[in-house]
Amino acid sequence: MSQGAAILLPKESGGRGKGAGAMTTPGNNGGAGFGPARPPVQRGAGVLAPPRSPAPGAAPGRRPGQGRAPGRRPEHAPGRLRARLRRVGNAPVRRLWSLGSVLALTAVLFGVLAYVQVVQRSDAATSVVEHSQPLSDDAAQIFRTLADADTTAATGFLQAGDETATVRNQYNGDIRTASTLLAQAAADATPADPGQREIQQLSSQLPTYADLVGVAGADDRVGYPLGGAYLRYASAQMQNTMLTEAQKLYQVETGRLHQDYSDSRSLPWAAIGLGLVALAALVRAQIRLYRATNRVFNIGLLLASATVVLALGWLTTAQSLAASDLGQSDARGSAPLQVLNEAQIKALQCRGAENLNLVARGSTDIYETAWDTVSKELAGPQGYLPTAASMTSADSVAQQAVTAAEADFTTWQRRHDTAMAANDTGDYDTAVSDTIGTPGASTAQQTTNAAFVQLDASLNTAIAHERANVDQLAARGRGDTTGLAAGSLALAVLAGFAALWGINRRAAEYR
Amino acid sequence: MRIVILAATALLLGTVALPASSAADPRPETLTLTTAGTPPRSAPAGAPGCTPADANVSLTPSLDDSGKDVQRIIKRGKLIAGIDTNSYLWGFRNPATGQLAGFDIDLVHALAKSILGNADDVEFLSVPTADRISALQSGEVDVVVRTMTISCDREQQVAFSSPYFDAGQEVLVPDSSSVTGYNATLKGKRVCAATGSTAIAFLQQKSYGSTIVPVENQLDCLVLMQLGTVDATITDNALGAGQVAQDPTIHLVGGLMDSETYGVAMKLGENDLVRRVNAVLDQFRADQWDSEYRTWLLGAMGASSGPPTVTYAG
């Protein structure tokens, strides 16, 4: 910087006083530069003064030769002076041009950096909307369909010979959806994707699971308890292996979503920093020029500064706005969405445990224990439903749906307790009909399944709402930076040209 | 939690029942019965000097209904029976009818008919293997009829009726298997057995170079055997017969590894009920046993030498 500034000062300025020379004596700035050791401003002011506008602040009464560099003898002969000027006179111009280049380069670098950083952020924001949020949703959906398949398989099993078409279709639909989603996820994922392993494993385990459920049903239909053992085995594969992998896939995808959110929300500090440096350089150059020429304005440099200020202002404001909108999208949409997804998953696990408890026919109490554990995770004091309720407190639509879901769970818990009480007193048939209903009976039965379906629907309403929130706010966040990348680059390039132009005008005064 | 309570109860009972041995061995062996993964010792350490033959001795039968425990059942009007619903041929739910069926179920109906006058005055409660003893101790059920083996060990915790079936551990393999029994042919094989069962105790004492695969329920072994995850199963022959009945491509090999008897279990000290049940069993063995065997077990187990012989004392 100080080097760049130093070149402003011609080492030899004797011949410059074409018109105003009468007033001021060619002084010597001695190439002292703008360093701290530099003599007072007034000393060289006259020297640099352009012919048409004598520096008003030129120190009066200064004697010729004063301040000249040591060892330099005064030149008085005009011819020699001119010759000498021609010889060395390029040096100040070169220095000016060097300064101009540095200013222009800094400005352009600022523009390029701003461009790159803005594009990175808007890519991350685009990724949130078009890539990581949908992938996270898909992973949640994979988990949901798998868990639902398991629950539905148990329902079909409990209906045994009376398995309804609805239940069979739902199970088949779940298996189909899960394999479609897995195929899609496999196609979307690059080999380096962290979720790749889970996707492959799930894809290979799903047909095996479906086979086991098929065997369970076949054994059950001929009256073998082995069918129940198969279903419990299939379900254990699902719960302990496949759902664990699906959960991991969901976590991986959600982790990426969080990464994208934080990438898109971070301010482009490097670009802002470089912009400030460019601005400081421009300001400093103008101060030096002012000190050298006593002219307040260099139009080019002023324009350059204004342009950089504009670009910086736009960059900072737009990115801050985008960060705020994306933050809102994360906090008001994505975060509740994840809690609601988890709630839906827990509800499915509860429902599965309830069914399997009946399938197990009292041979184990692990499913009743699972119900107790998972239902606490769902609706206990720190559970997903109360968390979702507090997260959506500012959003009446979501709040309403979550409150409905909480009420649905209360109903479900009550019916569950009734069904379990029946089971505990040996009334297995009542427990089964309290849970999955009686085939052929009206659909409005007060079963635990009906309560679950209601809860699921309430959660779906809340999820759809939050999903829309995510999209809307993320879209707004992306909209905040529309044109910013190209715009800030263009402004910075303009600033570069303006700086060069300003310096050029200054340099032209040497000719 | 359940195990802790059970263990505490077992400890208490053991100490009360065995004042003489408690000083020498304050930790009764009965603990291991309910602790998952720790099988009972194959040599039961029940009352000092108790032999399997001693364990089979039950209280003299009586048709007297005036005892407080029989009266409790009569007043309730229902017999609460702890059963298994996953043991094919013994206690299972027929998916077609939704009805419970099997040898043990019929025995429960016989008890209800004799005590209450109606074979259907029964509340069936499905009890997991590990909870059989605690369900009796807590009074949740009056009787446990669930292929439960009489042992000196268990007699410290519950009261047994006279035996109603002779059984024993046996090896179960697919037809194509090279395993010929509980012997050196098990080397390198994966052998399935239910956690906490006598079979596991056998394997832990001598595995013949096999790998033990423990599962929660003996029926889970059949799933694993069909899926090729295990090569053989050890369970008692009566339950093994239930497995064979569900999969004709497997069979029992090598003969019985030991001699066991099944009995009806009741709460320790409910002696009037034990006598009353023994009276029903006497009748059951004499009049009903053969036809029950033919209905449920003949196909899977072959001809029988008849019901066990019984000895009464006290």
Side-chain angles (χ1 to χ4, degrees), chain A residues 263-503:
Chain A
D263 285 352
S264 68
R265 287 171 59 189
S266 66
L267 287 177
W269 288 116
I272 291 171
L274 191 57
L276 288 172
V277 166
L279 188 62
L282 282 163
V283 168
R284 203 174 169 85
Q286 284 170 93
I287 290 171
R288 292 310 169 207
L289 277 184
Y290 164 71
R291 284 174 181 171
T293 65
N294 258 346
R295 273 175 303 172
V296 178
F297 299 119
N298 175 308
I299 302 296
L301 292 186
L302 205 58
L303 186 63
S305 307
T307 320
V308 169
V309 166
L310 188 63
L312 260 178
W314 186 10
L315 181 65
T316 314
T317 316
Q319 282 293 354
S320 302
L321 268 178
S324 156
D325 282 336
L326 288 162
Q328 289 278 306
S329 165
D330 194 359
R332 279 177 46 201
S334 194
L337 190 59
Q338 279 156 35
V339 171
L340 289 166
N341 275 335
E342 294 280 1
Q344 210 169 26
I345 284 166
K346 293 298 167 196
L348 273 164
Q349 286 181 323
C350 279
R351 185 73 193 91
E354 197 172 48
N355 270 349
L356 283 164
N357 190 42
L358 293 174
V359 170
R361 293 166 183 154
S363 65
T364 172
D365 53 14
I366 60 167
Y367 300 113
E368 191 53 23
T369 312
W371 163 278
D372 288 342
T373 313
V374 181
S375 66
K376 272 192 193 72
E377 287 170 11
L378 173 63
Q382 306 294 319
Y384 287 107
L385 285 180
T387 308
S390 72
M391 281 175 115
T392 55
S393 56
D395 183 336
S396 65
V397 179
Q399 182 80 52
Q400 206 177 345
V402 173
T403 309
E406 283 183 304
D408 296 334
F409 181 79
T410 308
T411 310
W412 184 9
Q413 176 78 62
R414 199 178 54 239
R415 291 180 189 172
H416 173 87
D417 291 345
T418 310
M420 283 308 105
N423 196 36
D424 287 348
T425 53
D427 196 349
Y428 181 78
D429 292 342
T430 305
V432 171
S433 66
D434 279 355
T435 304
I436 61 167
T438 333
S442 93
T443 48
Q445 288 184 96
Q446 306 276 299
T447 61
T448 67
N449 189 56
F452 160 76
V453 169
Q454 196 68 45
L455 168 67
D456 200 48
S458 299
L459 286 177
N460 273 332
T461 308
I463 283 172
H465 178 75
E466 295 301 347
R467 187 67 237 264
N469 260 355
V470 169
D471 285 355
Q472 194 194 334
L473 289 164
R476 200 198 292 173
R478 288 164 78 198
D480 291 333
T481 57
T482 306
L484 176 60
S488 50
L489 179 59
L491 283 177
V493 169
L494 186 62
F497 277 117
L500 285 175
W501 178 59
I503 292 296

Side-chain angles (χ1 to χ4, degrees), chain B residues 111-216:
Chain B
L111 291 173
K113 186 157 196 287
S114 174
I115 297 171
L116 296 163
N118 183 350
D120 290 327
D121 283 345
V122 183
E123 191 172 305
F124 285 109
L125 210 57
S126 183
V127 181
T129 312
D131 295 347
R132 290 184 293 196
I133 290 170
S134 65
L136 283 169
Q137 288 172 339
S138 67
E140 209 181 329
V141 297
D142 300 315
V143 292
V144 165
V145 187
R146 200 185 176 288
T147 59
M148 190 165 176
T149 302
I150 301 171
S151 72
C152 292
D153 215 3
R154 288 176 181 158
E155 281 195 332
Q156 305 306 314
Q157 299 169 286
V158 294
F160 277 107
S161 70
S162 56
Y164 67 89
F165 198 86
D166 285 318
Q169 300 294 316
E170 203 165 359
V171 181
L172 193 61
V173 291
D175 286 347
S176 58
S177 175
S178 58
V179 175
T180 60
Y182 182 60
N183 55 38
T185 55
L186 285 174
K187 188 174 168 57
K189 304 290 183 190
R190 293 156 300 177
V191 183
C192 182
T195 301
S197 67
T198 315
I200 286 266
F202 265 103
L203 285 166
Q204 285 182 340
Q205 209 166 49
K206 187 160 192 184
S207 72
Y208 288 106
S210 63
T211 310
I212 308 170
V213 181
V215 295
E216 204 181 348

